[in-house]
Amino acid sequence: MARTVWDSTVGKKTVMAVSGLIMLLYLVAHMLGNLKIYFGALEFNEYAHWLRTMGEPLLHYEWALWVVRVVLVVAVVAHAVSAYQLSRRDIKARPSKYVHKKARASYATRTMRWGGIILALFIVWHILDLTTGHVHSGGFEEGKPYQNVVDTFSTWYGNVIYIVAVLAVGLHIRHGFWSAAQTLGVGSRTRDRALKGLANVLALLLTIGFLAVPVGVMTGVVS
Ligand code: HEM
């Protein structure tokens, strides 16, 4: 049964939609959490500490965080694998005698594909920068994310990498949310306009919220 669903195009699109929505929920929470940087180092670092003690004393230190990490990794892999397989299927299904030798994907498809690749590379960089510190610009200090974030946005390349990634997130969500709504059958003619509007508002709020952090450091409001 699960195999039949996974093999179908609708099944793969459903996997993309559900995994995408899980990641979207994470991004909304992450964006809101990041904004705490405007309330000072103490509050921001305490919040980062709470991410690790969530669920205590029932759960041990970092257990809840690891559950979130595992769910996210599963979502990222499921999303990427189904996207890849859907694009292979799309190319194979094309009647090549009517089109140019090289099948040209639509503008939206190409944007989503490149956006996805940029985001995957960014996530690796981002974890090495602010979670493990391997590529961090300043002296990375575990448990002191406030200072780590300020260090990152005190370099020109840190700002460029994050701003490009955040714009890619916005574009990806704008189209992805709309596609997910259609796959999951929420859309109808009357609701289409409202859903498109919702996708735009959501993408815009996330973009502005994430950009607020580098902008805060660059303007000296966060230092
Ligand atoms: C300006 C934008 C962003 C800032 C300032 C920021 C900040 C941070 C910080 C400080 C951490 C480390 C938290 C800690 O260890 O306590 C972190 C982790 C993380 N961020 Fe971001 N982030 C931003 C954008 C993003 C975006 C756009 C994504 C996804 C596309 C993302 C995904 C993640 C992930 C997956 C982690 C690892 C969580 C973990 O396993 O510990 N972040 N971020």
Side-chain angles (χ1 to χ4, degrees), residues 26-27 30 34 48 52 69 122 126 130-131 149 169 210 213-214:
Y26 173 79
L27 281 180
H30 190 27
N34 282 352
R52 285 146 177 94
R69 286 172 173 165
F122 165 73
H126 182 41
L130 289 175
T131 302
V149 168
V169 166
F210 274 124
V213 181

Side-chain angles (χ1 to χ4, degrees), residues 50-126:
W50 170 81
L51 289 175
R52 285 146 177 94
T53 56
M54 250 186 312
E56 275 184 8
L58 177 66
L59 302 177
H60 187 66
Y61 184 74
E62 282 200 349
W63 277 11
L65 182 63
W66 274 104
V67 171
V68 174
R69 286 172 173 165
V70 170
V71 170
L72 281 178
V73 169
V74 171
V76 169
V77 172
H79 204 74
V81 169
S82 38
Y84 176 77
Q85 294 184 344
L86 280 169
S87 78
R88 300 302 308 162
R89 200 166 270 200
D90 204 30
I91 291 168
K92 272 195 202 139
R94 229 168 280 242
S96 52
K97 58 179 169 176
Y98 295 123
V99 292
H100 300 289
K101 271 222 178 79
K102 200 163 177 288
R104 278 175 66 82
S106 72
Y107 175 72
T109 307
R110 275 181 288 143
T111 320
M112 291 309 273
R113 202 174 287 168
W114 280 107
I117 293 168
I118 289 173
L119 287 176
L121 291 174
F122 165 73
I123 291 168
V124 174
W125 172 270
H126 182 41

